[in-house]
């Protein structure tokens, strides 16, 4: 498979670019923020995503979806990133769908995702950094389990219809064995959500599980073997976040290069200054390399290739590094206007920071790659 | 099995059988490299076997037409061959400016006669080529070159000086830029080929910081060059020069790819430094640097694959080789800094047996040229800024 988009994928990209650019450009995010909107995204927009089929992009056709892959999901995510559109697409249509695929839950949950009625949240992290350190306990109780502990940085956690929770049914924090993944609805006794607004104007919740009771059929996959669906969730989520980061970086870079051509100082466009040309060209190079890494991970995931896991870490880390550079150079090369709230470039910096942290930052993934490579 | 799957299986089997074990080890030093040419002395029987076997199949230049000594492989087949060679750790059977630079230019601009004359010899490693581009006053500003070719009817008489001519003293032939008109800078250059044994050619090696002396000052004093040796039209040599530079940059960019991932770097570091109780490289800061480098190196490997795919599909931006060259060479320099840091004092030994004749420090020093040769990093960034990002001229 060549490492560039095929014709259908390019067409999907054009559709997504037109639609998202129209329906949810940065001004949409700005509007939500200015209104101090309590949801964090637009339910209306989510419905429109459903009408276009986007919400079912990874869901098999037999279950009402488009039956496409991570490359296609990434195409949509890149446009979401480019436009800074707040959306539960990554958590719901990508990560949750990957976790639930080929499990009995799919039949119950996928129709709601396809129709744009369901939003899912991912309750994975327990500290301020993404780590393989799951301590939240799930003790056997009657016919089911009782969950106690706290999760952090759960985007849409306060309004999601469904929550995927990684819990420990055995073993010690840090171990892969003894994990169990649960799927529950939000309206549960003992579950409270405390949402915080983040730097990028999105909302993420701390979820406190105070003896939350679930039935045995809330288990996704096998008890004590939650690492399996969790790995699917994380691989899809990381790759998706990488694609979105790519979009954020590309959006920032495009604006910056445009500004270099337009802004004049010393009687000439600032883009004619070699110091800036070289930095822009360097940024372009980093972004292209990141783009290749992300597509590689998507293709390997779609092919079910054993090399996918390492490629996913490369993609997440590299897109984080490139997008971080893009937003930093973006603000600097815009000069004073780049620091104003009125100008959009600052929004790119904030979103890149959030996404860089989501599912593990570049250092986390570099360490993960090192461990996988035996050093 | 699909045709490609069959091709892969057969290729793997053939390589397994025909690639000598010694040729599956990374190249250690300059002396270890097979450059071919009239004066070529194989460093081992294995090296000679490997070249002969690959050349017999046309696999030194797998995607050239068979008529010119190539393998006639499709882009997909050539990619499979590359992948299988990489999996096996097989060395390139032949390093050659003929393959990576002159060949593509002749395929594009040469006459049928020129192709039939030169390409098969390149493919078999019989003639070693050098590149006569740079001059003392024409480096980054290459088009300001002054070596003069006087029109003498059926031939030119060439006089002038080149510099930084890699392996000029070891090469058999030179592809050379000469000035055939003085009125126009870029429009007065012609591209000619001639034998380095021609009367009037002399070379003087220059010692480098690596202690090697692979490049030369090259002098032409009334060298007679038949006009039949001119590639493309008179005064249109700049087109050929630029086309060739694209391929040179592509070739140099490949240096940013570790032969077998980063295993050599990582193994070296583990050997020198050891592991902590958790089994990790016992220098956490160096480990972090290596890991972040590993991320970039793997991402660049994906970029190289993408670039090749786009190139073959005719979708690559014509200035993309500049990006590849820039990124790949900066990466390779970073790799060798890490190799040196990981090796510590053991990586510093210059002439010892233990250090394989200073293989590490010499290789480290050699990489510093990567961002200079074939057009400096600054020149590549200029090209990206102007031709890809469309930024205004100063
Ligand atoms: C190992 C090695 C092998 C080589 N092999 C060959 C060979 O086989 N044949 C051959 O013909 N040549 C060869 N070269 C020459 C090589 O192509 C030139 O060295 C190169 O193009 C740079 O030219 P220069 O050395 O004259 O440097 P200069 O052009 O003098 O550059 C000096 C510095 O100024 C910077 N600079 C120059 N112009 C600009 C600009 N417009 N904007 C910003 N910065 C600028 C450069 O980037 C560099 O940092 C080789 C060089 C090396 C190091």
């Amino acid at each position: 498979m060549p490492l560039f988009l095929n014709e259908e994928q390019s067409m999907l990209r054009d559709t997504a670019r037109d639609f998202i650019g129209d329906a949810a450009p940065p001004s949409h995010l700005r509007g939500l923020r200015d209104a101090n909107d309590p949801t964090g995204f637009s339910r209306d927009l989510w419905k429109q995503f459903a009408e276009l089929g986007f919400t079912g992009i990874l869901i098999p056709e037999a279950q009402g979806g488009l039956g496409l892959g991570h490359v296609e999901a990434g195409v949509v995510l890149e446009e979401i990133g480019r436009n800074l559109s707040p959306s539960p697409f990554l958590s719901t249509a990508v990560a949750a769908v990957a976790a639930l695929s080929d499990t009995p839950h799919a039949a119950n949950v996928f129709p709601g995702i396809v129709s744009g009625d369901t939003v899912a949240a991912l309750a994975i992290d327990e500290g301020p950094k993404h780590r393989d350190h799951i301590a939240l306990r799930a003790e056997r109780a009657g016919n089911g389990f009782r969950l106690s502990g706290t999760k952090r940085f759960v985007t849409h956690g306060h309004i999601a219809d469904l929550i995927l929770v990684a819990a420990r049914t055995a073993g010690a924090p840090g171990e892969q064995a003894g994990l169990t993944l649960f799927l529950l609805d939000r309206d549960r006794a003992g579950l409270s959500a405390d949402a915080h607004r983040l730097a990028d104007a999105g909302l993420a919740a701390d979820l406190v599980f105070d003896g939350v009771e679930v039935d045995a059929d809330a288990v996704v996959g096998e008890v004590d073997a939650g690492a399996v669906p969790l790995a699917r969730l994380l691989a899809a989520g990381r790759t998706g976040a990488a694609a979105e980061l790519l979009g954020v970086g590309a959006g920032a870079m495009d604006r910056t290069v445009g500004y270099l051509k337009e802004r004049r100082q010393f009687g000439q466009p600032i883009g004619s200054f070699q110091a800036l040309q070289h930095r822009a060209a360097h940024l372009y190079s980093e972004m292209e390399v990141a783009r290749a890494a992300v597509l590689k991970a998507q293709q390997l995931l779609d092919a079910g290739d054993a090399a996918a896991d390492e490629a996913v870490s490369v993609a997440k880390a590299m897109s984080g590094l490139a997008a971080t550079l893009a937003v930093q150079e973006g603000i600097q090369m815009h000069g004073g206007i780049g620091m104003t709230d009125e100008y959009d470039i600052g929004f790119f910096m904030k979103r890149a920071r959030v996404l860089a942290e989501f599912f593990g930052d570049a250092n986390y993934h570099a360490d993960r790659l090192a461990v996988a490579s035996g050093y | 099995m699909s045709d490609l799957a069959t091709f892969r299986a057969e290729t793997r089997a053939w390589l397994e059988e025909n690639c000598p074990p010694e040729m599956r080890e990374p190249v250690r030093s300059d002396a270890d490299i097979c450059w071919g040419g009239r004066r070529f002395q194989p460093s081992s029987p294995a090296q000679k076997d490997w070249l002969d076997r690959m050349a017999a199949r046309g696999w030194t230049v797998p995607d050239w037409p068979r008529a010119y000594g190539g393998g006639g492989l499709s882009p997909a087949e050539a990619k499979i061959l590359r992948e299988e060679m990489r999996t096996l750790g097989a060395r390139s059977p032949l390093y050659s400016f003929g393959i990576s630079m002159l060949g593509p230019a002749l395929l594009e601009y040469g006459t049928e006669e020129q192709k039939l004359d030169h390409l098969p010899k390149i493919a078999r490693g019989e003639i070693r080529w050098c590149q006569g581009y740079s001059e003392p006053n024409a480096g980054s500003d290459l088009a300001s070159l002054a070596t003069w070719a006087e029109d003498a009817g059926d031939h030119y008489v060439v006089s002038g000086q080149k510099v930084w001519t890699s392996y000029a003293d070891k090469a058999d032939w030179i592809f050379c830029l000469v000035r055939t008109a003085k009125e126009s800078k870029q429009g007065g250059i012609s591209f000619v080929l001639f034998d380095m044994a021609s009367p009037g050619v002399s070379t003087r090696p220059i010692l480098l910081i690596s202690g090697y002396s692979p490049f030369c000052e090259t002098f032409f004093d009334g060298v007679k060059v038949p006009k039949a040796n001119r590639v493309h039209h008179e005064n249109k040599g700049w087109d050929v020069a630029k086309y060739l530079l694209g391929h040179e940059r592509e070739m140099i960019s490949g240096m940013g790819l570790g032969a077998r991932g980063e295993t050599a770097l990582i193994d070296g570091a583990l050997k020198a430094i050891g592991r902590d109780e958790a089994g990790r490289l016992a220098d956490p800061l160096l480990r972090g640097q290596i890991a972040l480098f590993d991320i970039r190196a793997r991402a660049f490997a994906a970029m190289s694959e993408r670039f090749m795919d786009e190139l073959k599909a005719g979708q690559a931006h014509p200035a993309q080789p500049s990006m590849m060259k820039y990124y790949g060479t900066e990466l390779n320099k970073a790799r060798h800094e890490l190799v040196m840091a990981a090796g510590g004092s053991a990586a510093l030994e210059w002439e010892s047996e233990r250090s394989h004749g200073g293989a590490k420090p010499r290789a480290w020093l050699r990489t510093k040229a990567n961002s200079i040769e074939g057009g400096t990093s600054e020149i590549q960034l200029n090209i990206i800024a102007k031709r890809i990002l469309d930024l205004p001229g100063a």
Side-chain angles (χ1 to χ4, degrees):
Chain A
M1 202 181 330
L3 205 57
F4 50 76
L5 296 184
N6 66 28
E7 217 167 300
E8 292 90 70
Q9 290 159 349
S10 302
M11 274 164 55
L12 175 68
R13 182 198 52 206
D14 295 343
T15 308
R17 187 164 291 182
D18 289 347
F19 168 69
I20 299 173
D22 269 0
S27 58
H28 172 76
L29 167 65
R30 187 184 285 278
L32 290 173
R33 183 201 63 175
D34 291 350
N36 201 14
D37 145 88
T39 308
F41 63 94
S42 151
R43 283 264 180 195
D44 252 11
L45 183 67
W46 187 234
K47 272 285 189 191
Q48 290 176 42
F49 264 56
E51 280 156 24
L52 284 167
F54 290 170
T55 56
I57 205 157
L58 283 178
I59 293 174
E61 282 177 286
Q63 289 171 291
L66 295 184
L68 298 171
H70 292 281
V71 174
E72 288 84 1
V75 160
V76 174
L77 277 161
E78 182 174 343
E79 299 313 316
I80 288 177
R82 195 183 291 274
N83 289 286
L84 308 176
S85 320
S87 171
F89 183 83
L90 175 57
S91 61
T92 306
V94 179
V97 166
L100 300 177
S101 285
D102 299 322
T103 73
H105 294 282
N108 302 330
V109 175
F110 285 179
I113 293 181
V114 169
S115 66
D117 292 308
T118 302
V119 165
L122 316 168
I124 312 292
D125 292 348
E126 301 186 8
K129 297 297 281 185
H130 179 73
R131 289 284 177 268
D132 312 307
H133 193 90
I134 289 160
L136 185 137
R137 273 173 304 115
E139 284 160 345
R140 286 196 183 269
N143 180 30
F145 296 84
R146 188 181 290 127
L147 276 54
S148 313
T150 304
K151 293 288 182 180
R152 288 181 61 172
F153 197 26
V154 184
T155 25
H156 321 302
H158 63 305
I159 50 87
D161 308 289
L162 293 173
I163 299 174
L164 277 158
V165 190
R168 183 156 292 292
T169 35
E175 291 174 9
Q176 292 284 296
L179 289 179
T180 304
L181 193 63
F182 293 94
L183 178 71
L184 42 138
D185 45 285
R186 187 172 37 90
D187 299 320
R188 295 249 145 201
L191 173 57
S192 59
D194 183 13
H196 299 270
R197 197 166 291 284
L198 304 180
D200 71 340
L203 289 158
D206 288 350
L207 294 185
V208 179
F209 295 78
D210 186 7
V212 176
E213 294 189 5
V214 297
D215 292 340
D217 59 14
V219 173
V220 179
E222 308 278 324
V223 175
D224 289 347
V228 176
L230 183 60
R232 285 202 303 269
L233 182 157
L234 289 174
R238 287 163 175 165
T239 309
E244 193 174 339
L245 269 166
L246 210 56
V248 174
M253 183 177 88
D254 287 353
R255 269 153 217 268
T256 304
V257 171
Y259 193 73
L260 291 179
K261 294 176 188 174
E262 164 192 306
R263 170 73 173 167
R264 296 178 70 85
Q265 289 289 281
F266 301 97
Q268 48 192 314
I270 56 172
S272 64
F273 299 131
Q274 196 183 52
L276 302 194
Q277 289 188 347
H278 281 193
R279 283 162 51 189
H282 171 71
L283 168 57
Y284 165 81
S285 308
E286 294 283 357
M287 285 297 302
E288 287 292 285
V289 171
R291 175 173 301 283
V294 172
L295 188 54
K296 185 79 194 168
Q298 292 163 341
Q299 287 189 352
L300 290 175
L301 265 188
D302 284 335
D305 195 300
D309 196 44
E310 291 183 19
V312 166
S313 273
V314 172
K316 179 64 174 64
M318 189 65 212
S319 61
L321 294 170
T324 300
L325 181 71
V327 297
Q328 287 172 348
E329 289 290 47
I331 299 237
Q332 180 63 24
M333 294 200 208
H334 273 82
I337 205 169
M339 291 301 293
T340 63
D341 182 72
E342 189 189 329
Y343 220 74
D344 285 339
I345 193 76
F347 282 81
F348 284 84
M349 170 154 284
K350 297 171 187 176
R351 177 62 55 81
R353 186 71 231 126
V354 171
L355 283 170
E357 215 51 57
F358 205 36
F359 292 120
D361 65 7
N363 289 343
Y364 170 87
H365 285 288
D367 175 68
R368 193 168 176 268
L369 190 69
V371 171
S373 311
Y375 66 100
Chain B
M1 251 198 291
S2 75
D3 288 354
L4 284 180
T6 310
F7 178 80
R8 185 183 291 279
E10 287 172 3
T11 301
R12 179 174 301 180
W14 188 88
L15 289 171
E16 278 289 358
E17 194 176 320
N18 288 281
C19 182
E22 302 97 301
M23 295 294 108
R24 302 180 194 188
E25 295 293 319
V27 173
R28 273 208 183 118
S29 69
D30 238 32
D32 224 13
I33 293 177
C34 171
W35 286 98
R38 288 179 195 144
R39 285 167 284 170
F40 171 54
Q41 301 281 353
S43 66
S44 69
Q47 193 186 49
K48 170 128 186 33
D49 282 351
W50 182 223
L51 172 61
D52 290 346
R53 288 174 193 167
M54 287 290 275
R57 281 182 90 92
W59 280 6
T60 51
V61 281
D63 48 7
W64 289 9
R66 285 184 185 276
Y68 308 137
L73 300 189
S74 69
E77 289 168 337
K79 183 171 176 180
I80 288 174
L81 173 60
R82 274 198 308 276
E83 284 167 1
E84 290 303 320
M85 285 179 69
R86 204 179 311 132
T87 308
L88 199 67
R91 280 184 199 181
S92 169
L94 178 62
Y95 286 76
S96 149
F97 292 180
I99 292 176
S100 51
M101 300 192 224
L102 179 62
L106 279 181
L107 284 166
E108 181 76 13
Y109 289 101
T111 61
E112 188 58 22
E113 239 177 344
Q114 288 170 336
K115 292 180 197 175
L116 286 170
D117 195 13
H118 296 295
L119 294 175
K121 292 181 205 155
I122 291 174
R124 291 192 299 263
E126 289 169 10
I127 292 292
R128 182 170 180 178
W129 287 85
C130 66
Q131 177 188 36
Y133 272 33
S134 305
E135 297 184 8
N137 290 312
S140 300
D141 186 12
L142 177 60
S144 64
L145 61 93
T147 292
W148 178 246
E150 182 75 36
D151 192 329
D154 65 343
H155 65 273
Y156 297 108
V157 177
V158 175
S159 297
Q161 187 197 337
K162 296 287 171 181
V163 75
W164 316 140
T165 329
S166 294
Y167 307 109
D169 54 338
K170 301 191 175 61
D172 308 306
W173 277 63
I174 186 166
F175 50 91
C176 193
L177 295 179
V178 295
R179 183 156 295 289
T180 36
K182 288 181 175 159
E183 298 74 36
S184 157
K185 192 174 169 188
Q186 297 184 350
I189 294 170
S190 298
F191 189 101
V192 295
L193 315 173
F194 54 92
D195 196 319
M196 290 294 278
S198 309
V201 178
S202 60
T203 61
R204 202 164 64 82
I206 303 166
L207 189 65
L208 299 189
I209 53 176
S210 61
Y212 291 131
S213 200
F215 68 11
C216 299
E217 289 179 291
T218 308
F219 303 91
F220 308 129
D221 182 10
V223 183
K224 203 172 150 183
V225 179
K227 280 195 178 161
N229 286 9
R230 190 189 67 229
V231 180
H232 202 42
H233 308 296
E234 189 169 82
N235 294 332
K236 293 278 181 216
W238 189 245
D239 296 342
V240 189
K242 278 194 305 184
Y243 186 82
L244 186 146
L245 272 174
H247 284 272
E248 178 177 10
R249 286 166 186 166
E250 201 183 307
M251 182 257 311
I252 297 174
S253 78
M255 291 169 178
L257 298 171
R260 273 195 249 184
E262 294 310 323
T263 42
L265 167 59
I266 293 161
D267 290 350
L270 286 171
K271 210 168 129 207
I273 295 166
R275 297 176 187 270
D276 64 14
E277 309 82 64
R280 302 180 182 193
L281 183 65
D283 179 337
L285 289 182
L286 183 65
R287 175 176 178 271
Q289 287 173 351
I290 292 177
L292 281 168
F293 170 78
D294 206 355
I295 294 277
R296 285 185 191 281
R298 291 187 195 216
F300 184 67
M303 181 64 223
S304 297
E305 189 183 335
R306 172 186 160 200
F307 174 62
M308 292 306 273
D309 288 346
E310 286 183 341
L311 213 55
K312 298 275 142 87
Q315 290 191 11
H317 189 288
Q320 199 71 320
S322 287
M323 188 280 266
M324 297 300 296
K325 202 258 173 189
Y326 167 65
Y327 207 91
T329 57
E330 295 297 335
L331 204 58
N332 201 35
K333 289 196 296 180
R335 169 183 295 110
H336 283 263
E337 286 298 333
L338 287 170
V339 167
M340 293 303 287
S345 65
L348 294 170
E349 292 183 4
W350 192 246
E351 296 290 0
S352 75
E353 202 169 303
R354 197 157 62 165
S355 74
H356 303 291
K360 279 199 178 108
R362 289 167 190 269
W364 163 67
L365 289 162
R366 175 64 183 81
T367 63
K368 299 304 158 198
N370 293 168
S371 50
I372 299 170
E373 60 199 327
T376 65
S377 283
E378 289 74 25
I379 294 300
Q380 309 311 323
L381 292 171
N382 285 350
I383 292 172
I384 296 167
K386 298 217 165 70
R387 298 197 40 213
I388 299 182
L389 300 179
D390 195 28
L391 290 172

